[in-house]
Amino acid sequence: MALATAPSSLPQLLPSQMSINTQNTPSFDRYSRLLQSLKQCTDISTLKQIHAQALRSTSPHHPKNLFLYSQILRLYSFLDFNCALQLFNQLEPQHNSFMWNTLIRACAHNVNNKEQAIRLYQEMLEQAVVSPDKHTFPFVLKGCAYLFALSEGKQVHAHALKHGFGSDVYVNNSLIHFYASCGCLDLAEKVFVKMSERSLVSWNVLIECFVQFGQFNNAVNLFREMGNKFDPDGYTLQSVISACAGLGSSSLGAWAHAYLLKKCDFDLSSDVLINNSLVDMYCKCGSLELAQQVFERMPKRDITSWNHMILGLATHGQAEAAMGCFDKMIRTERFKPNSITFVAVLSACNHKGMVSKGRQYFDMMINEYNIKPVLEHYGCLVNLLARAGFIDEALDLVSTMPMRPDAVIWRSLLDACCKKNGSVELSEELARQVLESEGHIDSGVYVLLSRVYASASRWDDVGLVRKLMTDKGVTKEPGCSSIEINGVAHELFAGDTSHPQTTEIYQMLKVIDEKLASVGYLPDHSQAVMVDELDETRQHSLKLHSERLAIALGLLKLKPGMPIRIFKNLRVCNDCHEVTKLISRIFNVEIIVRDRSRFHHFKDGSCSCLDYW
């Protein structure tokens, strides 16, 4: 395969132009000085001078000089790829594996030359003069991973096996990363399992792969398994912290933070990436104050740091603080917001119902920062408008969007219709749009539509929705809440009786019910079930929602004064929201609930969302 080369740019300098005087020195001494000069070389101008002197005093085709020209090639690969490629071609047929690897590595590390890494490897095989070695395969696989070139990467894998590198740690580490990058996590795991020898990097790569695929439990379990063989490093813990953020595991996340402070041999405060992960983790685990502490102590921040903090404040219902953080970022710290920043600040407006501010930020994004809105930005604004009651304006925005709305946007409109008592006809049309946009059948749209019918007292239609779900084999997604007690996560489903402490949990629920009744609590049945059942049955259904079981377990097992942190897979219903407010006052306990869309901080009988969610 012929490779395109750049126009000749290699130097032909006169002796008077040279900063290195080697004219009156012996050959060996001259060679040594050239190598020493290469060790100190950091810029392209000096390198060209050294190259020019080498050409004047040595022959590039003499076997004894191959090491010198290999080092010149290596430096060119960092400073000027075109010069490296030209020198490589001039050295033919003296190519050795180091030279091939140098060029392939340069391509693999350059965003614009990833494909050429594969082409160079193909040319290396076609010439069949030099065989690839254990350094060749990781470089080629890096290019394949970036390009998602699954077919080519599988061929490289086969070549590695053919050349006897099936048990090489470095090659296998690269294969794990390659397969995961191409979406083949099962193949990445298979490579890992078959490895006869693993390094710390092997574990780190697969743990990070699990995190990227959202398999946070697998990531944490693998990390615990790794602890029997290796001590974690900064890369390990950054992945584990991200997994903790996904799981809401504050205890393991705090342990990882403490481990970093005590044992890792680097300055944690100066590591922006790890600190960003800590801010994100504490925000997602409900520990907003700790996230703010980490953020404020960072001596250096990047745009991701600010984005994590703004979004964290937004999801915890602190819209004004989120907007204050945004203002500080652009006015005091002079950071330029990006697309993600505006998703975060629009989310802050959405969680507080600040319509005028949301419109203002949306216009600012377009007119002041020339950021083209994408589906996420439109989704935030549509949801903000619809939830605030501006359903017609939201529909107009959807009709003028330059892209096709997705199921999330249609579902947010349907949800708003459900809460704002929108017309049944509009709700039916929105439900149809959701079903057409979904790649799979989702029970959520049926549940919302049934509530619209129930609000209009159209019980026959509620029954038809239930029958339609049964006919299509659609089951309502069960509510599931998790609570962490002494580092152990407990999962509880609605109506759950499988927990080892079920008897104690239901006894505590009875105590809670008695205390609620004593303060005049009356249940809100509107979201209990999808059909018009007897009040007693619906009230019993509400009592067994998963977050109530988790709260009961927390009251039983957590020490007094400790906040109860609960993570739920669905949005909190109206009745459970009201009940949790009352429990926080009656039992004098802080309860933090993360549902599908945001955090709720319950304390002294009120919620941080101010009943707007």
Side-chain angles (χ1 to χ4, degrees):
M1 181 182 294
L3 296 176
T5 59
S8 176
S9 59
L10 295 183
Q12 299 292 333
L13 303 180
L14 297 173
S16 61
Q17 294 175 285
M18 295 298 300
S19 59
I20 305 167
N21 181 12
T22 62
Q23 293 299 305
N24 299 315
T25 56
S27 176
F28 178 77
D29 212 13
R30 183 160 58 243
Y31 188 90
S32 299
R33 290 200 179 192
L34 287 170
L35 287 175
Q36 186 62 35
S37 298
L38 285 172
K39 290 181 181 179
Q40 300 170 358
C41 179
T42 58
D43 61 87
I44 189 65
S45 177
T46 303
L47 179 58
K48 287 185 176 181
Q49 292 184 42
I50 296 170
H51 186 190
Q53 184 59 44
L55 290 172
R56 293 180 62 85
S57 56
T58 64
S59 169
H61 298 291
H62 195 286
K64 291 185 178 180
N65 297 326
L66 276 184
F67 179 76
L68 172 64
Y69 283 93
S70 294
Q71 295 306 306
I72 294 174
L73 177 68
R74 183 182 66 84
L75 283 176
Y76 270 135
S77 72
F78 296 126
L79 300 172
D80 189 325
F81 179 76
N82 287 331
C83 285
L85 189 58
Q86 184 183 359
L87 176 58
F88 179 80
N89 289 334
Q90 290 177 355
L91 291 173
E92 194 174 0
Q94 302 294 323
H95 297 157
N96 55 29
S97 61
F98 177 86
M99 294 177 180
W100 283 104
N101 291 342
T102 297
L103 273 195
I104 293 171
R105 178 186 59 189
C107 294
H109 284 82
N110 188 302
V111 173
N112 299 318
N113 286 332
K114 302 286 187 182
E115 290 184 9
Q116 193 156 358
I118 300 175
R119 289 200 297 269
L120 278 167
Y121 175 70
Q122 291 172 335
E123 185 176 350
M124 181 185 190
L125 295 179
E126 289 169 2
Q127 290 188 9
V129 175
V130 178
S131 296
D133 58 25
K134 67 177 184 180
H135 302 291
T136 314
F137 296 110
F139 299 145
V140 180
L141 288 167
K142 183 180 180 70
C144 292
Y146 183 87
L147 297 169
F148 309 114
L150 181 60
S151 175
E152 290 82 353
K154 284 184 174 180
Q155 292 179 54
V156 175
H157 188 179
H159 295 161
L161 294 175
K162 180 180 177 181
H163 285 85
F165 296 106
S167 60
D168 185 86
V169 175
Y170 302 103
V171 172
N172 282 312
N173 291 347
S174 299
L175 283 167
I176 294 169
H177 173 260
F178 158 70
Y179 280 123
S181 298
C182 292
C184 302
L185 184 58
D186 56 332
L187 295 178
E189 286 186 81
K190 189 175 180 180
V191 172
F192 180 84
V193 169
K194 286 186 173 181
M195 290 176 70
S196 56
E197 178 188 357
R198 302 184 186 115
S199 65
L200 176 59
V201 174
S202 313
W203 294 88
N204 284 351
V205 172
L206 190 57
I207 291 171
E208 176 61 19
C209 290
F210 281 135
V211 172
Q212 294 300 320
F213 276 78
Q215 296 189 15
F216 305 120
N217 276 317
N218 286 345
V220 170
N221 291 336
L222 189 64
F223 166 68
R224 287 176 171 145
E225 183 184 344
M226 186 202 81
N228 299 322
K229 302 170 179 66
F230 293 97
D231 290 329
D233 62 5
Y235 295 104
T236 320
L237 293 172
Q238 185 174 345
S239 297
V240 170
I241 289 166
S242 296
C244 293
L247 292 171
S249 178
S250 55
S251 61
L252 181 58
W255 175 88
H257 188 183
Y259 189 98
L260 282 165
L261 291 170
K262 290 180 181 179
K263 296 198 175 180
C264 285
D265 55 351
F266 60 87
D267 182 7
L268 177 62
S269 66
S270 63
D271 193 311
V272 176
L273 292 177
I274 288 183
N275 278 295
N276 287 349
S277 297
L278 286 168
V279 171
D280 184 49
M281 183 270 293
Y282 281 125
C283 284
K284 290 178 177 176
C285 288
S287 303
L288 185 61
E289 290 183 1
L290 290 175
Q292 289 176 298
Q293 286 179 21
V294 174
F295 179 80
E296 293 298 334
R297 291 173 183 173
M298 291 174 68
K300 183 180 179 182
R301 307 182 188 105
D302 60 12
I303 188 64
T304 302
S305 316
W306 291 95
N307 288 347
H308 282 326
M309 196 69 254
I310 294 169
L311 187 58
L313 291 164
T315 55
H316 283 265
Q318 297 193 20
E320 292 82 1
M323 288 182 277
C325 191
F326 175 81
D327 288 340
K328 182 179 179 181
M329 183 193 82
I330 61 173
R331 303 187 195 285
T332 306
E333 303 296 332
R334 301 294 181 183
F335 272 91
K336 185 177 179 181
N338 61 16
S339 180
I340 297 172
T341 315
F342 280 102
V343 170
V345 77
L346 286 169
S347 296
C349 298
N350 188 15
H351 289 311
K352 212 61 177 283
M354 305 171 77
V355 175
S356 59
K357 275 288 187 182
R359 293 183 183 125
Q360 176 186 330
Y361 284 121
F362 194 83
D363 292 339
M364 178 193 295
M365 174 180 67
I366 298 169
N367 299 324
E368 293 186 30
Y369 293 100
N370 297 316
I371 296 174
K372 186 178 179 180
V374 296
L375 196 61
E376 288 78 8
H377 300 117
Y378 282 107
C380 287
L381 189 56
V382 167
N383 198 21
L384 168 62
L385 293 168
R387 291 176 66 231
F390 298 92
I391 294 177
D392 288 339
E393 185 179 345
L395 289 168
D396 289 340
L397 180 61
V398 170
S399 66
T400 58
M401 283 167 47
M403 72 283 292
R404 181 183 177 88
D406 63 358
V408 175
I409 289 179
W410 291 120
R411 196 184 297 112
S412 67
L413 287 166
L414 178 58
D415 186 45
C417 283
C418 180
K419 290 184 176 181
K420 299 296 179 181
N421 296 319
S423 73
V424 173
E425 292 76 15
L426 176 59
S427 299
E428 289 174 333
E429 172 59 24
L430 292 171
R432 186 182 65 81
Q433 293 287 356
V434 174
L435 293 173
E436 288 182 357
S437 301
E438 285 280 10
H440 61 281
I441 297 175
D442 185 2
S443 64
V445 62
Y446 293 100
V447 174
L448 288 173
L449 187 58
S450 72
R451 288 176 183 165
V452 171
Y453 287 139
S455 298
S457 297
R458 290 173 53 169
W459 301 110
D460 289 343
D461 289 324
V462 173
L464 287 173
V465 171
R466 169 66 67 86
K467 184 177 184 303
L468 184 62
M469 290 180 67
T470 302
D471 293 344
K472 289 182 174 290
V474 179
T475 55
K476 183 178 180 293
E477 182 180 1
C480 176
S481 295
S482 66
I483 179 172
E484 195 173 59
I485 299 174
N486 297 327
V488 178
H490 299 256
E491 280 193 346
L492 297 129
F493 289 86
D496 199 346
T497 58
S498 63
H499 193 275
Q501 293 168 300
T502 292
T503 302
E504 295 96 318
I505 290 171
Y506 278 79
Q507 287 174 347
M508 176 56 73
L509 282 177
K510 187 176 180 181
V511 172
I512 291 172
D513 289 341
E514 291 172 354
K515 290 184 178 291
L516 288 173
S518 69
V519 297
Y521 157 72
L522 294 174
D524 176 0
H525 295 162
S526 63
Q527 295 178 317
V529 289
M530 298 204 314
V531 293
D532 192 18
E533 295 178 341
L534 296 175
D535 283 353
E536 184 179 345
T537 304
R538 291 194 283 174
Q539 187 170 345
H540 183 69
S541 171
L542 287 170
K543 290 178 183 178
L544 303 183
H545 279 189
S546 63
E547 61 267 50
R548 297 205 197 182
L549 301 179
I551 290 171
L553 182 61
L555 290 171
L556 282 168
K557 295 299 178 182
L558 290 173
K559 294 178 181 178
M562 287 187 67
I564 297 174
R565 302 177 195 274
I566 294 169
F567 299 88
K568 184 174 182 182
N569 63 331
L570 304 176
R571 292 181 74 168
V572 177
C573 75
N574 294 342
D575 188 71
C576 287
H577 192 268
E578 187 61 30
V579 164
T580 308
K581 287 196 297 181
L582 292 172
I583 292 173
S584 72
R585 176 165 60 84
I586 294 169
F587 290 88
N588 190 28
V589 63
E590 181 182 3
I591 303 172
I592 301 167
V593 178
R594 185 177 88 178
D595 67 9
R596 179 173 280 180
S597 60
R598 61 171 298 156
F599 276 92
H600 298 262
H601 291 252
F602 299 93
K603 191 173 183 180
D604 299 327
S606 63
C607 180
S608 58
C609 74
L610 302 179
D611 298 337
Y612 186 86
W613 83 100

